[in-house]
Amino acid sequence: MIQGLPVFILFGPPGVGKGTQAAKLSEKYGFYVISTGNILRDEISKGTELGRTVKSIMDRGEYPSDDMIIGLVDRVMKELSHGQSNKIQGFIFDGVPRTEYQAETLQNMLEKSDQSIKAVFSIEVDDEALVNRLKGRFMCEKCGQIYHEHYHLPKVEGVCDRCGAHKFVRRPDDEEKTVRERLKVYYDRTASLIPFYEKKGNLYKINGMGSASEVFASIQNVLRNLGEKELS
Ligand code: AMP
C-alpha cells in the first residue's frame, strides 16, 4: 500500500455533487479518487459475481454490507501499490465511508500505512434541491461527465463536451422514488458521521447550493489553508 499520502473525504447526501468535485480535485491536485459507487457500478456492468450480488440492493437505494465495501477499498488500495503510483499526490474518498463501522475500519486501515484523514468536506444542499438534481441527471456513457436536463446540457446537443461521445445514460437509482429512499437511508445510517468527524476536528462544512465552480472554490480555500498545492 502507498505510504504517507494525505486523504480527503467528500461527504454528503446523494446528489450534493461529490462526484463532480472529486473529478475537479483529481485534475487540479493529482489526487486519486476512490468512489465506491463507481467501483460497484463497474462490477455490475462487467457482470462479476460481486456486481450480481449488489445490483438489486443498489437499485433499491440500500447499502451492500460494510465488509463488502471495506473489502473493495482495501483491494483498490493494494492494487495501486503494485501499479504506477508515483504520480499520486493524495486520495479522495467519494461516497465512503457511509457508516460508523466503515469510518472506524477505514481509519485503522489508513493508520497502518501511515496515512491520515486531513479533511472531511461535508457538502450541504436542501433535500428538495437534491431530488430535483438527481431526477434530471444524466451522464456520458464513455467518460462519465455529468449533465442535467435543465441546468447543464452539453454545449452541442447529443455530444459530450469532454470526450465527444454521443451516448448518454441515466442511473437506475436516480428515479424519484429511489432517490427518496436513498435520502432516507442517508439520514438513518450516514448522517451521524457529521458529529463523528466534528469530534475529531477535521470536518469542514461546504455550502453546496452554488454552482460546481463556487463549491470547488470553497473546497480550494480549505485546501489552501491546509497547505495543499495545485499541480503546476
Ligand atoms: P453513489 O454513487 O456514491 O451515490 O453510490 C451509489 C450506491 O452504491 C449507494 O446508494 C449504495 O447502494 C452503494 N454504495 C456506494 N458506496 C457505498 C458505501 N460506502 N457504503 C454502502 N453502500 C455504498
Side-chain angles (χ1 to χ4, degrees):
M1 199 180 282
I2 302 174
Q3 305 276 318
L5 290 175
V7 173
F8 301 91
I9 292 175
L10 284 171
F11 182 82
V16 285
K18 299 185 292 289
T20 303
Q21 298 302 322
K24 285 175 174 289
L25 286 162
S26 162
E27 196 189 318
K28 274 258 171 179
Y29 292 87
F31 297 150
Y32 186 87
V33 178
I34 297 184
S35 156
T36 39
N38 283 347
I39 301 170
L40 291 168
R41 278 184 290 278
D42 197 40
E43 294 282 332
I44 292 174
S45 67
K46 285 186 193 143
T48 63
E49 195 183 329
L50 192 144
R52 287 196 299 276
T53 310
V54 296
K55 183 169 183 344
S56 61
I57 301 173
M58 283 175 72
D59 284 351
R60 289 196 302 274
E62 292 164 13
Y63 292 169
S65 77
D66 281 341
D67 287 335
M68 188 180 284
I69 298 291
I70 291 296
L72 279 182
V73 173
D74 191 42
R75 186 188 85 192
V76 171
M77 297 205 49
K78 282 192 176 126
E79 279 168 4
L80 266 177
S81 64
H82 300 302
Q84 44 15 314
S85 50
N86 45 357
K87 289 199 203 97
I88 298 171
Q89 306 298 317
F91 290 99
I92 299 283
F93 285 91
D94 161 10
V96 62
R98 262 174 155 103
T99 64
E100 284 190 30
Y101 178 81
Q102 289 179 21
E104 300 277 14
T105 315
L106 185 66
Q107 185 143 332
N108 293 338
M109 270 168 63
L110 293 172
E111 273 164 14
K112 277 191 202 137
S113 57
D114 188 28
Q115 288 171 137
S116 61
I117 297 168
K118 217 163 167 187
V120 178
F121 297 106
S122 173
I123 310 177
E124 302 182 331
V125 170
D126 298 345
D127 280 3
E128 280 315 302
L130 292 177
V131 175
N132 280 326
R133 281 187 188 188
L134 293 181
K135 268 191 334 190
R137 176 164 81 168
F138 63 98
M139 46 281 266
C140 169
E141 188 182 56
K142 193 166 164 220
C143 74
Q145 173 68 39
I146 297 167
Y147 297 95
H148 189 280
E149 60 193 20
H150 299 305
Y151 314 122
H152 179 200
L153 287 164
K155 291 192 184 89
V156 178
E157 197 185 330
V159 182
C160 175
D161 296 346
R162 189 156 84 185
C163 75
H166 294 264
K167 198 154 177 225
F168 298 90
V169 288
R170 284 181 191 264
R171 278 173 49 171
D173 58 352
D174 278 349
E175 196 209 322
E176 179 164 353
K177 192 167 150 270
T178 315
V179 168
R180 294 201 183 274
E181 177 60 24
R182 285 162 65 197
L183 276 174
K184 185 177 171 302
V185 173
Y186 167 82
Y187 285 113
D188 286 351
R189 302 203 49 197
T190 305
S192 65
L193 287 179
I194 295 178
F196 175 93
Y197 283 118
E198 234 159 9
K199 269 190 223 127
K200 294 193 186 289
N202 55 3
L203 187 95
Y204 296 85
K205 292 192 175 173
I206 303 289
N207 178 0
M209 290 298 283
S211 67
S213 317
E214 285 164 346
V215 176
F216 189 55
S218 309
I219 293 176
Q220 281 189 296
N221 266 339
V222 177
L223 290 175
R224 212 168 290 126
N225 289 337
L226 292 172
E228 290 299 321
K229 301 255 181 320
E230 291 178 20
L231 296 177
S232 45

